[in-house]
């Protein structure tokens, strides 16, 4: 929880400073255009990847399989789309990592390992 608080303060401050540096380096209008372009690109990618994930979940459910991997994809797409719609270059780059399938695979394995550690330490209890 304490790391989340630091990220909530640190990331926007870094994003604002990077936007100011970008505005000085390339100008105000190109910086605004980049922000708008990444927002549009983020919405498009999130929609495309989200629809593919929904189709995969439905397909796995129709075969009687649990869609665990597809649900993790959906979580990553949701986080990535949200980050891309947030103005700022750091959040945009992070959002792209969550949306592109090759980097999303690494993120999913990290999430799985994190949850396994928490379950093994007894921080999360599974009720059957």
């Amino acid at each position: 929880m304490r790391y989340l608080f630091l990220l909530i303060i640190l990331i926007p401050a870094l994003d604002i400073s990077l936007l100011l540096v970008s505005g000085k380096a390339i100008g105000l209008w190109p910086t605004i255009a980049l922000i708008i372009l990444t927002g549009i690109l983020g919405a498009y990618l999130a929609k495309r990847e989200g629809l593919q994930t929904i189709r995969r979940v439905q397909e796995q459910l129709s075969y009687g399989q649990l869609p665990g991997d597809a649900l993790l994809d959906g979580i990553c797409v949701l986080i990535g789309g949200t980050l891309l719609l947030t103005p700022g270059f750091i959040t945009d780059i992070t959002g792209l990592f969550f949306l592109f399938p090759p980097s999303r695979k690494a993120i999913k394995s990290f999430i799985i390992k994190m949850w396994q550690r928490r379950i093994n330490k007894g921080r999360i209890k599974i009720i059957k």
Side-chain angles (χ1 to χ4, degrees), residues 61-95:
L61 286 174
S62 70
Y63 288 122
Q65 300 171 346
L66 291 176
D69 192 51
L71 288 176
L72 273 178
D73 273 334
I75 291 168
C76 288
V77 167
L78 177 67
I79 292 170
T82 303
L83 288 171
L84 273 167
L85 290 174
T86 306
F89 295 124
I90 296 171
T91 54
D92 290 343
I93 291 169
T94 308

Side-chain angles (χ1 to χ4, degrees), residues 119 124-128:
I119 290 170
I124 297 175
K125 295 183 182 179
I126 298 176
I127 302 171
K128 295 180 183 180

Side-chain angles (χ1 to χ4, degrees), residues 18 37 39 115:
L18 193 58
L37 180 69
W115 280 99

